Amino acid sequence: MKKIIIPKNIVTANSENSILYNSAIVVEDGIIKRIISTDDVSLLRNEYEIHNYENYTLIPGFIQTHIHLCQTLFRGLADDLELLDWLQKKIFPFENAHDENSLRISTQLGINELLKGGTTTILDMGTLHHQEIIFDELIKSGMRAYAGNCMIDRNDLYPKFSESTKWNLDNTYQWAKTFHNSSDGKIKFGFAPRFVLSCSENLLIETKEMMNDFEGSLYHTHSSENKKEVETVRKITGKDNVEYFDSINILDDKTVLAHCIHLSDDEVKILNKNNSRVSHCPSSNLKLGSGIANIPKLIENKISVSIGADGAPCNNSLSIFKEMHLTALIQKPLHGPTSMDALTVFRLATIEGARALHLENEIGSIEVGKKADFVLLDLNKSDQPINVNENIYSAIVYSADKSNVKAVFVDGIQLVNDSKVKFYDEILVLENAKTELKKLIERTI
Amino acid sequence: MKKIIIPKNIVTANSENSILYNSAIVVEDGIIKRIISTDDVSLLRNEYEIHNYENYTLIPGFIQTHIHLCQTLFRGLADDLELLDWLQKKIFPFENAHDENSLRISTQLGINELLKGGTTTILDMGTLHHQEIIFDELIKSGMRAYAGNCMIDRNDLYPKFSESTKWNLDNTYQWAKTFHNSSDGKIKFGFAPRFVLSCSENLLIETKEMMNDFEGSLYHTHSSENKKEVETVRKITGKDNVEYFDSINILDDKTVLAHCIHLSDDEVKILNKNNSRVSHCPSSNLKLGSGIANIPKLIENKISVSIGADGAPCNNSLSIFKEMHLTALIQKPLHGPTSMDALTVFRLATIEGARALHLENEIGSIEVGKKADFVLLDLNKSDQPINVNENIYSAIVYSADKSNVKAVFVDGIQLVNDSKVKFYDEILVLENAKTELKKLIERTI
């Protein structure tokens, strides 16, 4: 398991944003042990497995902090709808119709797409039932993830898709006990009450308390995504969404809130005070007509911002490249063309993603001592910047897409080779997905 | 040259938006002669060259109505800048430094990317000098285009990049005489005064008059892209941009205006009254911080809207898939999630593009009697909608990208095979581009 990787160059995402040339990384036990000169590789040739990627750029694995693997099967089935309609008419009925087989294939589709696209770590919001299947597939895949079952104990939009508070808490506890820190520590538990409109106050609070039994776990929910949602939250609680979360003491640095589009100035202060994390999902926010989160303001207020593709039916892809492109572009008409430059956005998708998950000492950059989670990109293409070495962040954020991803390693183990996930037969996955989707749709009728 | 193409299905973009199964298209002399049942193919097998694409979806070739081929070489060299800075500091100096070799390679890079991405027809805004090179490459490529030299007879932003009014008019006339209706009629002339800030009133008016000598030519310019530009136009002319164009009688149904972001209600009426065309360039508009054009309002006012990627340094790709995705997504927070649905956007990129160029009886849809310009897409992929047949527009607009394009035909001639442009050695193009860019940058210092 001792490897040397020789790329063309290394985009480190370290604190100096160093770009290294003539450098190779030495991987042992899943860790970046050293970064050496390529001149020194020959001395080590006998002891190490050499991976020669001399035309490719090595970057940290991308980190996406808001994903719904369980929804990947539903891509294209819920277009051109507003959030609450989208949930009521499509997503809740579909998620509720999942059996173990359909959930397994949906998870496989998602993992396959994420890994092929260079994403090595995710924070996943699971689903109400059969969560063990998602964990099973994540463990088998070798990718790194925070994940947890999605908790729902009230559901006015689609009452069938709900369980009692006790059911939610008991099952969550069992899943957390079984899966937190599994897969050599690559899998951790992210407690995931869905959002205010589908969770009793009791559930929200008791879930936060449960985290005390699971050190290193996270709290993952949606907030302030849609104007109608915000209004309804205000009607129920008398408060704005983030303000409400603060009032019941569920905000701290272990809380990741997806979306945060409609925030008052006070709520921005609350997020800053609690050091809570925001996961920005630009394509989902646009496609559901939710709005554009004020990311420059959040960053200015020193709030942790990272990026997630959300679920495949609301974007309609899990590509970090599409999300980075949008993260940069959509702010510019509002905040000027110099806002959200390519380097800033690249960091949100790497080291800032790690920081959101409290993994900044383990992943998110290419540095000695960190886990060997990295991606090899072929940027030497006619549709990339021609002098790509001088414009590497521009290439990654503004021009690249999944087709530039050639190889992906997690914990020093190669999961993607020549743009293919090594452990999936993609044709078989697709065929199974067709079969399971057909059955699932029949179950919803 | 007699061919039968057998796809999995055909997305026609005809007036009924028919999707055909078990159908094949019969191509003779570059024309779609018949659409037949696949059952009847065996009877014709001896007379025709059979192209079997039974796993792929056949769609009309995409049409982009605002492109700057001459800028492709500059991708990634002008990021995170506002329009007028972008022109003054980067694009005008670079365009001015073009020699024949650098312009040729820039054009090849652009054509290669466009064709590989399924675009078969463009309206290109050329550059001030050496325009014959762009025409030469377009003709060699076999793609369909309106093109014309970019006219500039004043330039406060970068005075060096300008020629006299007479020089502009004389040279334009010669180029139009040489190239209008060349390449078996595939190439037509698009007169292209750049924008108000770089054209004298005389130039704008005399160019319009020159069109009388070239039946079937177009008038192609920028308008109302950037707030500072609009203010400066107002200072110079006392009028808003479109209002000014109307006052000097250059607006009619042969005029294509790129951008049209900042329009007054009166200007929308003027565009409608003159039946002028708007080319929407969403990624460029976002990246330069220019704004979001009110496309739903233009469509509601029965104004022709089509799509263009603009130049590679302001987007940073020439992919119609990125432009379609953005065309759909960016309107939804403003106009609701049901606005700009996938079908509407697909039509903007096909038949509405044809209508913008007055080619709607020749291209833009798959119908008997039209030119055989079409694209084969592989949508049977694990990162596309699983039941793709029921969600084909969603697949094309929301999930697909250039990697789904497998084959491209123009006038019945195959230009792209297995995702590669048949007549370019892409590695050589890239190497030449590196050499020429280096020399060009040295010329700007």
Side-chain angles (χ1 to χ4, degrees), chain A residues 76 79-80 380 391 394 398 434, chain B residues 76 79-80 380 391 394 398:
Chain A
D79 292 325
D80 307 319
N380 191 43
N391 297 280
S394 171
Y398 292 131
K434 286 180 190 176
Chain B
D79 293 324
D80 308 319
N380 191 43
N391 296 281
S394 172
Y398 292 131

Side-chain angles (χ1 to χ4, degrees), chain A residues 72-73 75-77 79-82 109 112-113 116 283 285-292 315-317 322 325-326 329-330 332-333 336-342 380-387 391 394 398-404 426 429-431 433-434 437 441, chain B residues 72-73 75-77 79-82 109 112-113 116 283 285-292 315-317 322 325-326 329-330 332-333 336-342 380-387 391 394 398-404 426 429-431 433-434 437 441:
Chain A
T72 321
L73 192 60
R75 187 196 321 268
L77 270 66
D79 292 325
D80 307 319
L81 290 166
E82 176 269 343
L109 283 170
N112 185 61
E113 186 181 358
K116 277 175 74 175
S283 62
N285 297 165
L286 293 171
K287 184 149 172 284
L288 294 169
S290 303
I292 293 176
N315 53 38
N316 289 358
S317 106
K322 286 193 181 178
H325 189 237
L326 284 172
L329 261 59
I330 62 178
K332 293 175 184 290
T338 57
S339 66
M340 302 304 286
D341 60 77
N380 191 43
K381 298 266 208 178
S382 66
D383 58 4
Q384 295 297 314
I386 296 301
N387 53 358
N391 297 280
S394 171
Y398 292 131
S399 308
D401 62 26
K402 64 182 191 228
S403 69
N404 298 87
E426 203 171 318
V429 169
L430 180 55
E431 286 313 307
K434 286 180 190 176
L437 178 59
I441 289 174
Chain B
T72 321
L73 193 59
R75 187 196 320 267
L77 270 66
D79 293 324
D80 308 319
L81 291 166
E82 176 269 343
L109 282 171
N112 184 62
E113 186 181 357
K116 278 175 72 174
S283 61
N285 297 167
L286 293 172
K287 183 149 173 283
L288 295 169
S290 302
I292 294 176
N315 54 40
N316 291 352
S317 106
K322 286 193 182 181
H325 188 237
L326 285 172
L329 261 58
I330 63 178
K332 294 176 185 289
T338 58
S339 66
M340 301 305 285
D341 60 78
N380 191 43
K381 297 265 208 180
S382 66
D383 59 4
Q384 295 297 314
I386 296 302
N387 53 359
N391 296 281
S394 172
Y398 292 131
S399 308
D401 63 28
K402 65 181 190 226
S403 69
N404 299 87
E426 203 171 319
V429 169
L430 180 56
E431 286 312 307
K434 287 180 190 177
L437 179 59
I441 289 175

Side-chain angles (χ1 to χ4, degrees), chain A residues 2 36 83 360 416 424 444:
Chain A
K2 290 163 70 175
I36 62 175
L83 175 69
E360 70 271 24
V416 173
Y424 285 137
T444 63

Side-chain angles (χ1 to χ4, degrees), chain B residues 55-57 376-381 384 400 403-407:
Chain B
N55 293 316
Y56 299 162
T57 296
L376 280 307
L377 296 179
D378 180 4
L379 298 173
N380 191 43
K381 297 265 208 180
Q384 295 297 314
S403 69
N404 299 87
V405 175
K406 293 297 166 185

Side-chain angles (χ1 to χ4, degrees), chain A residues 229-241:
Chain A
E229 170 212 5
V230 168
E231 278 165 31
T232 314
V233 170
R234 208 178 286 133
K235 215 174 285 173
I236 297 172
T237 69
K239 296 188 172 67
D240 284 334
N241 206 328

Side-chain angles (χ1 to χ4, degrees), chain A residues 23-216:
Chain A
S23 300
I25 68 170
V26 179
V27 175
E28 285 179 37
D29 303 323
I31 302 291
I32 300 171
K33 281 283 176 192
R34 283 180 293 158
I35 299 177
I36 62 175
S37 161
T38 46
D39 296 341
D40 298 335
V41 170
S42 58
L43 300 169
L44 302 168
R45 203 163 276 280
N46 294 332
E47 288 173 70
Y48 290 81
E49 191 180 297
I50 308 289
H51 291 251
N52 201 330
Y53 291 114
E54 63 192 5
N55 294 317
Y56 298 163
T57 296
L58 189 148
I59 64 168
F62 290 112
I63 297 166
Q64 296 203 48
T65 56
H66 185 60
I67 294 287
H68 292 260
L69 287 170
C70 72
Q71 295 175 5
T72 321
L73 192 60
F74 314 143
R75 187 196 321 268
L77 270 66
D79 292 325
D80 307 319
L81 290 166
E82 176 269 343
L83 175 69
L84 300 186
D85 287 341
W86 180 87
L87 284 171
Q88 182 167 41
K89 294 177 185 165
K90 302 281 181 175
I91 297 304
F92 281 156
F94 289 151
E95 273 195 44
N96 189 49
H98 259 317
D99 65 11
E100 295 184 2
N101 293 334
S102 62
L103 183 57
R104 189 176 292 285
I105 204 71
S106 187
T107 307
Q108 289 180 0
L109 283 170
I111 292 172
N112 185 61
E113 186 181 358
L114 287 161
L115 282 175
K116 277 175 74 175
T119 294
T120 52
T121 299
I122 58 169
L123 170 56
D124 185 64
M125 181 164 288
T127 186
L128 188 59
H129 303 111
H130 315 299
Q131 176 67 29
E132 67 283 357
I133 301 290
I134 298 179
F135 280 114
D136 186 49
E137 287 297 326
L138 282 169
I139 291 167
K140 281 182 188 157
S141 78
M143 82 183 293
R144 198 178 299 284
Y146 270 91
N149 53 299
C150 181
M151 302 164 83
I152 303 179
D153 70 346
R154 66 176 182 195
N155 195 339
D156 292 342
L157 293 168
Y158 192 73
K160 268 201 272 188
F161 190 50
S162 172
E163 297 284 358
S164 71
T165 311
K166 185 172 180 328
W167 189 99
N168 273 277
L169 290 169
D170 289 352
N171 280 276
T172 301
Y173 196 88
Q174 286 309 316
W175 278 316
K177 235 175 104 179
T178 310
F179 295 109
H180 186 52
N181 283 323
S182 61
S183 190
D184 299 327
K186 286 201 298 284
I187 302 296
K188 293 178 191 291
F189 206 80
F191 291 87
R194 194 166 189 126
F195 69 146
V196 174
L197 302 190
S198 67
C199 296
S200 67
E201 190 164 291
N202 205 15
L203 182 64
L204 292 169
I205 292 171
E206 291 208 27
T207 301
K208 193 78 198 178
E209 282 166 9
M210 197 184 286
M211 284 176 67
N212 294 328
D213 290 355
F214 300 96
E215 208 194 312

Side-chain angles (χ1 to χ4, degrees), chain A residues 232-399:
Chain A
T232 314
V233 170
R234 208 178 286 133
K235 215 174 285 173
I236 297 172
T237 69
K239 296 188 172 67
D240 284 334
N241 206 328
V242 167
E243 203 187 356
Y244 170 65
F245 282 153
D246 191 37
S247 75
I248 59 171
N249 296 314
I250 64 167
L251 294 184
D252 58 30
D253 65 343
K254 299 287 168 53
T255 308
V256 180
L257 301 177
H259 308 306
C260 290
I261 300 169
H262 305 287
L263 299 180
S264 69
D265 287 349
D266 280 348
E267 287 181 292
V268 173
K269 281 183 203 145
I270 290 170
L271 290 176
N272 167 289
K273 180 190 76 183
N274 290 290
N275 199 9
S276 298
R277 276 65 171 134
V278 170
S279 180
H280 178 45
C281 308
S283 62
S284 164
N285 297 165
L286 293 171
K287 184 149 172 284
L288 294 169
S290 303
I292 293 176
N294 192 338
I295 298 303
K297 181 175 175 180
L298 295 178
I299 293 174
E300 202 183 294
N301 280 275
K302 306 205 183 315
I303 291 161
S304 157
V305 174
S306 49
I307 302 176
D310 207 343
C314 60
N315 53 38
N316 289 358
S317 106
L318 301 179
S319 165
I320 189 68
F321 294 99
K322 286 193 181 178
E323 300 305 319
M324 288 195 293
H325 189 237
L326 284 172
T327 297
L329 261 59
I330 62 178
Q331 302 296 337
K332 293 175 184 290
L334 300 163
H335 302 280
T338 57
S339 66
M340 302 304 286
D341 60 77
L343 169 58
T344 299
V345 172
F346 177 71
R347 290 184 65 87
L348 296 191
T350 53
I351 187 65
E352 293 304 320
R355 208 182 308 282
L357 307 178
H358 293 266
L359 296 176
E360 70 271 24
N361 294 322
E362 294 182 45
I363 57 170
S365 61
I366 304 299
E367 295 180 86
V368 171
K370 285 204 169 180
K371 307 276 190 190
D373 289 10
F374 53 82
V375 172
L376 280 308
L377 296 179
D378 181 4
L379 298 172
N380 191 43
K381 298 266 208 178
S382 66
D383 58 4
Q384 295 297 314
I386 296 301
N387 53 358
V388 65
N389 290 351
E390 290 91 70
N391 297 280
I392 198 115
Y393 299 110
S394 171
I396 297 169
V397 171
Y398 292 131
S399 308

